[in-house]
Amino acid sequence: MCGIVGYIGKQVAIPILVEGLKKLEYRGYDSAGVAVLDTEGISVSKSVGKLVALEEEIGENFSQSCIGIGHTRWATHGRPSQVNAHPHGDCGQDFVVVHNGIIENYLELKDQLLEKGHHFASETDTEVLAHLVEDAYAGDLEAAVRKVLEVIHGSFAIVVLSRKDPDKLVAARKDSPMVVGLGTGEFFVASDITAILNHTRKVYILDDGEMVVLTEAGVNISDFAGNPRVKEIMDVKWDAVAAEKGGYEHFMLKEIHEQPRALRDTMLGRLEEERVVLQEVDLTPEELAQINKVYIVACGTAWHAGLVGKTLIERWAHLPVEVDIASEFRYRSPLIDEHTLVVVVSQSGETADTLAALREAKNRGARVIAVTNVVGSTVSREAHDVIFTWAGPEIAVASTKAYTTQLEGMVLLGLYLAQVKRTLSSAKIREIIGDLKKVPAQVQEILDQESILRDLAKSFVDVEDTFFLGRSLDWAVAMEGALKMKEISYIHAEAYAAGELKHGTLALVTEQTPVLALATQRDVFDKTVSNIKEVKARDAKVFGLTYKGNTSLAKSVDQVIYVPETRDELAPLLTVIPLQLLAYYVSVARGCDVDKPRNLAKSVTVE
C-alpha cells in the first residue's frame, strides 16, 4: 500500500510520476520512489518521508526517459526505510515492481527463490514479485507476469517495468484498485483516478482478475488467463477534490465503504483451515502458561475494540481480562508483573497515553502485544509483539475501518491464545475461521443497503439526545455507535448496558428520545427485549438491530435494521456498520463537518 502511478508516452516521465504521487499524498505514506528506463538501464530513486525528499534524491538533472513507474508506500511488511520503499527490483535490476496490497504466501515463495540463488535486499513481501518475474522470464514480459499471477496469493495491484521488454508496462489487479488512463500517444496506470486527472479524464476501471499491457500504441486488457476483455471507457466528471474521495462526498463515507477490503487484507496470510498464523507474535505454550491475567489498554474507539477483545479472550482462551482507559491506567498502580500480558491498541501507534501505558507495563515486567495500523510507529517498535491491522490510511477524524480491523485483530488474538493454550478444539477453531472469512462479504451486503440508514437518519436530525442500548458484546458496540453519533453530529448520545436502565437512566427517556437497541447476542436476547419494553413503556421511539431471520424483535420496536446472521462473537464486525452509516447520514443532514468535527484531532499525541 498505498499509491501507484505509471506512464508511457512521449513526455518525460519523472515530472509526471512525481506530480501523480503528489496527488496521492492525501492517502498517507511513509516513503516514496520512482523508476524509469533509459539507455543505461533502469534508474531507481527512493526516499523516506515526504515527496520533497524524493525530489531532492532525484535531483535537477533527472533522466529524460518517457516510461516509468512510481509509488508512495504505507508500510506493511518491513519498517519505513529507503531500502523497503518501492519500486523493488530483482537480482540484476532487469525488472522493477510497484505493488499495493499483501502477498499472502510471500515467505513460502521467498524460500523457494532463495534456494534458487536469488538475493533479497528488503524486508518486504513486494520484492518477491520482482524475483518471481525474473525467474519466470523467457523473452516475454507479459507471459512472465501471467506465470507469477498463477502462484501468488493475496491482494494486489502491481505494475512491472523491464529493461528486457523496454517498450511496455504490464499491470494487474486483485482486490486492490487500479485504473488505466487514455491519452493521445500516451497512457497511464494508477491506483487512483486522482493521480492522472490532470492528464486525462478517459479511463478504464480494471476489475479483479484483469491484466493490462500498455505501450505507446495503446492498451490491451485481458483476464489472467489471457482472454481479451472489452471495457467501457469511463469519462470522469469529478473535480480534483471529489476524485481524492473516490467520488464519495466525504472521506468518512469512502472509508466506511473500504471496510470489506480492509477486513480481507487484515486476515490475509493469517488464517489456515484450522489455525491462526500470527508471525508477528511468538508466545510459546510454556510462556503463555505463565500468564495469569490480561490487560487491554487503549483510548476512545480503540478502547471499545478492547471491550470486545475482553469477551473473546475470556470466552475462548479462559484468561481473565481487564480493559483500561490508557489515560487512567498508569495512575492507578495496576497489579502488573511478569505473569501479565498487556495488549495495547492504537490506530496511529503514537497515542501518548497508550504509549505511556505500554512503557509502564514493560517497566513492571509484563509481556506487551500491540495492535496498530502503522508499521514503524513507536508503539509497534516498543512492544514485544505486534498485530498489524491493514486498514490503510484513514483520513476522516471519526474512525471506521481502523476500528473494524482492530476488532478483527482481537478475534485473531483471541483465537491465537486459545490455539496455543488448547482451550478450543481444532474443529471449533475451523468453524470460527470459516465464519470469519464470510465477514467481508457480509459487510458489503450491509453497505449495499445503506439507503435504509439514510432514511432512518431523518428520525434523528432534530433531536438533542439519544440512547444506544445492548447487552454483552452488543453493549460494547453500542458504545462505539454512541461515540460516532456524538463526535460527528454533535447530538448528545449515550450508550448503556440495557440491564442498567432501571438504575436511573429511564428518568431521561421521553417520547422525544430515540433509542437504538442492539439485540444479536442470543444468550441474552430475551432479557434485551424486556429492557426494550421498559423503554417503549416511556413512549420512546425504538429502533432495533438484529440478525436477518429474527422476526420476533419487530414486535417490540418501531423499526428493525437487519444484518446477516453470524456467530455472536463476530457480530460486532457487522453491527457497527449500520451505526457508522447512521451517524454519517445524521451528520450530513445536520450540516456538520463530517471529516473534521469541531475540537477533535485524528491522532492524540499529548496527554
Side-chain angles (χ1 to χ4, degrees):
M1 309 175 187
C2 176
I4 288 173
V5 59
Y7 174 78
I8 183 169
K10 300 187 184 303
Q11 299 187 65
V12 177
I14 282 182
I16 294 172
L17 298 176
V18 173
E19 176 197 34
L21 294 179
K22 287 180 177 179
K23 298 296 183 182
L24 298 175
E25 283 192 291
Y26 74 94
R27 296 167 60 91
Y29 64 103
D30 51 58
S31 56
V34 295
V36 293
L37 177 61
D38 52 34
T39 55
E40 297 180 2
I42 294 175
S43 174
V44 178
S45 299
K46 302 196 285 189
S47 68
V48 178
K50 297 302 180 184
L51 284 170
V52 63
L54 177 62
E55 291 179 293
E56 291 175 359
E57 181 74 19
I58 293 170
E60 296 181 1
N61 299 316
F62 50 77
S63 167
Q64 299 300 294
S65 166
C66 298
I67 180 173
I69 55 178
H71 191 269
T72 51
R73 178 179 188 246
W74 172 276
T76 57
H77 295 68
R79 70 191 189 284
S81 68
Q82 188 173 36
V83 72
N84 286 335
H86 297 211
H88 287 287
D90 66 310
C91 296
Q93 207 68 2
D94 292 326
F95 308 91
V96 288
V97 179
V98 290
H99 163 230
N100 284 351
I102 298 170
I103 304 303
E104 186 175 348
N105 58 334
Y106 86 101
L107 286 174
E108 173 189 339
L109 295 170
K110 185 174 182 178
D111 287 342
Q112 295 171 7
L113 290 162
L114 287 169
E115 289 180 5
K116 293 182 176 182
H118 290 258
H119 300 283
F120 287 78
S122 76
E123 303 168 283
T124 68
D125 56 332
T126 299
E127 189 182 353
V128 166
L129 296 171
H131 291 276
L132 287 171
V133 175
E134 175 191 18
D135 198 60
Y137 186 78
D140 184 337
L141 180 61
E142 182 179 350
V145 173
R146 290 192 195 283
K147 289 181 180 179
V148 173
L149 297 175
E150 291 176 359
V151 299
I152 60 175
H153 303 152
S155 64
F156 53 82
I158 62 174
V159 187
V160 185
L161 171 69
S162 172
R163 74 178 183 88
K164 293 193 171 184
D165 243 331
D167 302 319
K168 66 178 65 168
L169 296 175
V170 179
R173 72 152 285 183
K174 178 181 176 291
D175 297 330
S176 196
M178 180 167 284
V179 301
V180 177
L182 310 176
T184 303
E186 61 180 0
F187 300 93
F188 309 81
V189 62
S191 55
D192 193 317
I193 291 171
T194 314
I196 59 177
L197 203 55
N198 283 353
H199 299 277
T200 181
R201 289 182 173 269
K202 296 187 181 300
V203 302
Y204 290 128
I205 307 293
L206 291 191
D207 293 317
D208 278 351
E210 289 186 336
M211 176 175 169
V212 60
V213 179
L214 300 88
T215 67
E216 283 190 33
V219 300
N220 291 308
I221 300 174
S222 63
D223 63 19
F224 288 176
N227 302 306
R229 290 281 179 91
V230 177
K231 308 283 292 183
E232 281 191 22
I233 295 175
M234 176 182 176
D235 191 3
V236 180
K237 301 186 184 301
W238 310 329
D239 61 20
V241 174
E244 287 185 358
K245 298 170 184 172
Y248 292 99
E249 187 176 353
H250 298 94
F251 280 112
M252 182 178 177
L253 187 59
K254 176 175 182 282
E255 288 157 8
I256 288 172
H257 279 264
E258 288 176 340
Q259 288 176 114
R261 188 275 308 157
L263 290 165
R264 279 194 299 268
D265 284 353
T266 298
M267 69 176 75
L268 274 175
R270 290 168 164 169
L271 297 178
E272 295 181 357
E273 186 177 348
E274 294 182 351
R275 63 190 297 266
V276 173
V277 179
L278 293 180
Q279 295 166 352
E280 313 98 321
V281 180
D282 186 23
L283 270 172
T284 66
E286 293 74 24
E287 290 171 329
L288 192 52
Q290 299 302 309
I291 300 296
N292 56 30
K293 189 171 187 179
V294 179
Y295 284 91
I296 300 176
V297 184
C299 302
T301 285
W303 180 66
H304 296 156
L307 293 174
V308 175
K310 169 184 170 66
T311 295
L312 301 183
I313 293 171
E314 288 185 340
R315 189 172 295 180
W316 291 341
H318 302 171
L319 284 167
V321 182
E322 285 192 35
V323 184
D324 260 289
I325 297 172
S327 57
E328 295 291 331
F329 179 74
R330 66 190 177 117
Y331 297 111
R332 68 175 185 84
S333 299
L335 300 176
I336 296 174
D337 57 24
E338 67 275 12
H339 301 297
T340 308
L341 175 64
V342 175
V343 181
V344 296
V345 189
S346 168
Q347 184 277 138
S348 67
E350 304 294 345
T351 309
D353 289 314
T354 305
L355 184 58
L358 181 157
R359 290 168 175 165
E360 177 73 12
K362 287 183 70 176
N363 288 340
R364 292 171 179 254
R367 178 73 169 257
V368 179
I369 297 177
V371 178
T372 183
N373 194 38
V374 182
V375 176
S377 61
T378 306
V379 162
S380 72
R381 294 197 309 271
E382 295 193 13
H384 297 105
D385 310 277
V386 187
I387 299 174
F388 289 111
T389 58
W390 306 131
E394 196 175 59
I395 308 300
V397 167
S399 180
T400 52
K401 61 179 182 174
Y403 170 74
T404 49
T405 53
Q406 286 169 353
L407 289 181
E408 195 167 46
M410 290 296 162
V411 173
L412 294 171
L413 178 60
L415 287 175
Y416 175 82
L417 295 176
Q419 182 176 287
V420 175
K421 289 188 64 156
R422 298 182 179 178
T423 49
L424 285 180
S425 67
S426 295
K428 188 67 172 179
I429 292 175
R430 181 174 63 247
E431 289 177 12
I432 298 171
I433 287 174
D435 289 336
L436 181 59
K437 288 180 177 179
K438 297 175 185 176
V439 166
Q442 291 174 321
V443 169
Q444 187 60 55
E445 185 179 336
I446 299 169
L447 294 173
D448 290 341
Q449 301 176 45
E450 69 178 291
S451 60
I452 297 171
L453 283 306
R454 187 188 301 118
D455 293 339
L456 180 60
K458 298 171 186 176
S459 299
F460 290 77
V461 171
D462 297 322
V463 305
E464 295 301 323
D465 303 279
T466 184
F467 293 108
F468 290 69
L469 307 178
R471 284 176 174 263
S472 185
L473 290 174
D474 283 336
W475 175 48
V477 178
M479 296 183 75
E480 175 62 13
L483 177 60
K484 286 291 149 299
M485 182 68 79
K486 72 179 74 171
E487 69 181 329
I488 65 171
S489 75
Y490 313 147
I491 293 173
H492 172 246
E494 295 297 333
Y496 288 92
E500 290 295 293
L501 283 171
K502 59 181 70 69
H503 296 288
T505 309
L506 276 175
L508 299 174
V509 175
T510 70
E511 60 184 5
Q512 282 81 41
T513 312
V515 175
L516 206 148
L518 287 76
T520 66
Q521 301 300 294
R522 294 173 176 88
D523 59 338
V524 290
F525 177 81
D526 291 339
K527 295 183 182 300
T528 302
V529 171
S530 295
N531 300 138
I532 290 171
K533 289 180 178 178
E534 293 170 352
V535 174
K536 285 297 296 176
R538 274 73 181 177
D539 297 322
K541 193 169 185 178
V542 180
F543 304 93
L545 196 159
T546 193
Y547 297 129
K548 285 183 178 179
N550 182 342
T551 58
S552 62
L553 185 62
K555 301 172 185 177
S556 303
V557 300
D558 295 280
Q559 182 178 336
V560 183
I561 306 160
Y562 292 104
V563 298
E565 188 174 5
T566 186
R567 67 177 54 244
D568 289 357
E569 293 91 345
L570 302 183
L573 289 161
L574 303 180
T575 53
V576 74
I577 308 300
L579 305 188
Q580 293 171 348
L581 287 167
L582 178 62
Y584 170 79
Y585 282 113
V586 172
S587 178
V588 170
R590 287 167 65 92
C592 301
D593 189 343
V594 176
D595 288 333
K596 297 178 181 178
R598 66 191 182 203
N599 304 330
L600 299 180
K602 183 63 181 171
S603 180
V604 183
T605 55
V606 295
E607 286 194 64

